[in-house]
Amino acid sequence: MSEATRPATEGTLVPPIRWPPPGLARIQGDLWVVARKMAFVAAILVLPLLVTLTLPQTPYGLGPFGEAWWITLLTTVLGVAIFADAVVTLVRFLSRVRRALRKGYTGHVIALVVSDREQEHGFLLQGMGPFTPLAEKERKTVALLRFLTPFSYLLAASWFVLGFGVLILLAARGWVSVSGVGFGTVAPAALIGFSGLVLRGTEGTLSYRAREAWHPEDWEEDLARHEIEAWRAVADERELIPADASTGSGLWSRILAVSVIVGAFLVALPVMTFVPAASIGAIFTSFGGWGYHRPLQRRAEAEAYRSYRLEGDGSLSAIEAGELVQSLAFAGRDEALARELSPPATEYPDPWLPEDMPERVRAAGASYWTDTLWSRVELGLSSEESEYLRRVVEHPGHAGLSRLARATSVDLVGAYYALPFGDDETLFSLPLVHVAGLRTAADAHLGRAAYLASQGRHEEAEEAVREVISVGLLLADEAALLMANLVGTVLVRRGGVALGNALELRGDTEAAEALRTGARSAQAAATTMMVGREERPTGQAFLERLPEIAEDPHAPLGMRWDMVHVVRVLSPCANLRRVVFGPDDDYYAWLDRVRSSLVRYESEEAFFELILRGIAPLGEPGLVSRMLAVPMGGLATQGSCAQVLAAMPEL
């Protein structure tokens, strides 16, 4: 320690130089401030995202927070605000450091000032106060440790933030795994942070020993203001600053400031894109999905009539059955077909029910064909009703419905759609398959049965009713479209009611009562099983249930196909992990399983591929889409959130 810097305890009063140096009070201890703000960013912005990404989770759910998915969105909004403040503080800090360098201060002095949280580095620099017992070498060591400690903390927090952003970008390209993001973010930050703790502990030990050895004595603080040059002159005279220390131009601080801005962009881009994107699926599911409560109940009730289904004819192919469905459903329709649809194999220009329907029939509505009509037959049809039913019976489509009733499978996709599907088509762009017309066809066929019964041909009448039930069960069991399943259950229910009336009309009241008892039992069982089920499921439970239903062989076939489509639409943007890493091996394994269990015909293979397009087919993304999808994996992969966002401008 130089004689000129010894305090008054040795008999020579040497006034201390001012601390902090003139003009540097604004940055005194600021290195700790910046480190603390960056640590807040790491804790509030990055840590929740890291936890959400790395914790075990299903690829179809809303993430580990489940219904509380909004927590991540909230912490992200708050964290981005804190991050913006931290970046501004850091850039302003570096700007002030650069100005100090240009004014003539050395990096050595600035390092002492910015790390001076305790505001006592002036004593440390001059070997005064509690640092009197320390030799010059020891003081330099303490000064270095006091700078490196907050610098280490800042570096650790910065890596936690910046490293996470960079690793997310790499993960989106498939270069880093889930565990790689977690380890790559936490491990370096923890190592650097631990080094800071070690440095802090070492410095604290040295300072503690000095304070223990120090005997406080009277001292005075020189409050006179000096210009920067005067301060440097005194510091140089006392050899407080290394002789080889240079002021420089502050280029390194400028480079650091630019690096901070670039780093802030690398952090903000992933966070401000993939976090909102991961909320898309959660927001959609919060509105609720299709209510499957009623369709499942109707499907269960239809089981009461299964024993009345006619024996199948294996010679009738699935595509022929599909063509019969289309032809019968389109009877009497003269509007132009959409380009995506194939024309009916057989055209029936006349409607199933002539327009000049008697008022009594029109007023009774649907119940006429299932209930009222049979009461009229028993009492005796009026001449007007008999004549009307005779004209209904003459429709040429009845033969086709009778043949369809013997089918064992049906391919509606191959029959209805013009294959192959166009490259720009999706399930959303396709027109709906028109099967509702079969309800009118079934009513007409029930009218035929009633007319036969009025002629005393009861066995033929009952067979006609069973044909309606058989067509209904065919659609409910074998159709790959949910709407066709629903129409099928309607046909079964109408045919079942009509069959009970037909049996009673023939005089077989015992068989009629047995049928009705079975129907009531099935209805009661189905109603009981539906108790407690959500009619419109939402959120996490809804998403996680979708892939299970798609694989469940007991679920209606059309519902299983529908589940595949809903999974494909909602799951890509349902949680952070799926957004960043894209579809994983579990997703592709699930696709293979449902494909093998659902696809039966070439047409359904094409339909499955169409479903995989989701809301839009793969296309060349634009510049904005590419920018948004940078932190997301699988831009060119069906089933990725990046692909969904890329398709948004076209939609």
Side-chain angles (χ1 to χ4, degrees), residues 173 616-630 632-638 640-651:
R173 309 279 76 78
L618 278 173
E620 185 64 27
L623 178 61
V624 175
S625 299
R626 288 184 180 277
M627 288 292 294
L628 292 175
V630 165
M632 305 177 194
L635 181 59
T637 303
Q638 293 284 10
S640 68
C641 189
Q643 186 263 329
V644 173
L645 292 182
M648 285 296 184
E650 296 182 14
L651 296 176

Side-chain angles (χ1 to χ4, degrees), residues 309 316-326 404 406-416 433 435 438 470-481 484-485 557 561 598 600-601 603-604:
R309 185 175 184 178
L316 183 62
S317 68
I319 189 64
E320 290 176 308
E323 291 171 347
L324 282 172
V325 170
Q326 185 188 27
L404 178 63
R406 274 74 180 176
T408 58
S409 59
V410 61
D411 179 8
L412 295 185
V413 176
Y416 270 81
V433 168
V435 291
L438 275 182
S470 298
V471 170
L473 288 172
L474 173 69
L475 293 179
D477 293 343
E478 298 295 325
L481 303 172
N485 297 156
L557 189 62
W561 279 90
L598 290 179
R600 300 163 297 176
Y601 321 115
S603 59
E604 291 184 348

Side-chain angles (χ1 to χ4, degrees), residues 184-431:
T185 301
V186 175
L191 181 61
I192 299 171
F194 178 75
S195 300
L197 290 175
V198 173
L199 294 173
R200 179 66 170 168
T202 304
E203 179 272 321
T205 301
L206 293 175
S207 298
Y208 176 77
R209 290 176 180 175
R211 293 178 189 277
E212 286 293 309
W214 176 54
H215 297 284
E217 298 184 20
D218 295 335
W219 55 275
E220 295 181 2
E221 181 179 5
D222 182 8
L223 300 179
R225 292 181 175 273
H226 302 288
E227 296 297 331
I228 292 175
E229 292 78 6
W231 190 94
R232 283 207 59 195
V234 175
D236 290 341
E237 179 183 353
R238 300 183 183 181
E239 299 180 355
L240 301 178
I241 304 173
D244 57 350
S246 59
T247 58
S249 62
L251 178 61
W252 62 270
S253 62
R254 187 186 299 272
I255 294 174
L256 279 178
V258 173
S259 301
V260 167
I261 295 174
V262 173
F265 176 78
L266 293 178
V267 173
L269 177 63
V271 169
M272 297 183 69
T273 52
F274 79 81
V275 174
S279 303
I280 294 175
I283 292 173
F284 284 158
T285 57
S286 66
F287 297 140
W290 181 313
Y292 294 99
H293 179 276
R294 186 60 62 183
L296 287 173
Q297 183 176 354
R298 295 301 187 196
R299 180 67 178 78
E301 293 172 0
E303 289 301 311
Y305 307 104
R306 186 166 294 279
S307 61
Y308 299 96
R309 185 175 184 178
L310 297 172
E311 184 177 353
D313 180 5
S315 64
L316 183 62
S317 68
I319 189 64
E320 290 176 308
E323 291 171 347
L324 282 172
V325 170
Q326 185 188 27
S327 298
L328 298 173
F330 273 85
R333 293 169 60 97
D334 57 359
E335 65 267 24
L337 292 176
R339 63 177 178 84
E340 296 88 353
L341 295 177
S342 298
T346 303
E347 293 188 2
Y348 297 106
D350 296 327
W352 282 102
L353 303 176
E355 294 181 358
D356 54 342
M357 184 181 296
E359 183 60 33
R360 180 191 300 273
V361 177
R362 190 187 309 277
S367 66
Y368 178 85
W369 307 101
T370 57
D371 191 2
T372 308
L373 177 59
W374 299 93
S375 300
R376 298 294 303 159
V377 170
E378 184 177 11
L379 296 174
L381 295 171
S382 67
S383 59
E384 185 182 25
E385 290 174 327
S386 182
E387 174 60 21
Y388 183 77
L389 289 180
R390 186 190 63 78
R391 292 166 57 199
V392 170
V393 170
E394 290 177 350
H395 194 284
H398 288 291
L401 195 146
S402 297
R403 179 164 170 74
L404 178 63
R406 274 74 180 176
T408 58
S409 59
V410 61
D411 179 8
L412 295 185
V413 176
Y416 270 81
Y417 290 117
L419 300 177
F421 295 111
D423 294 338
D424 60 340
E425 291 177 346
T426 67
L427 194 59
F428 289 105
S429 66
L430 289 182

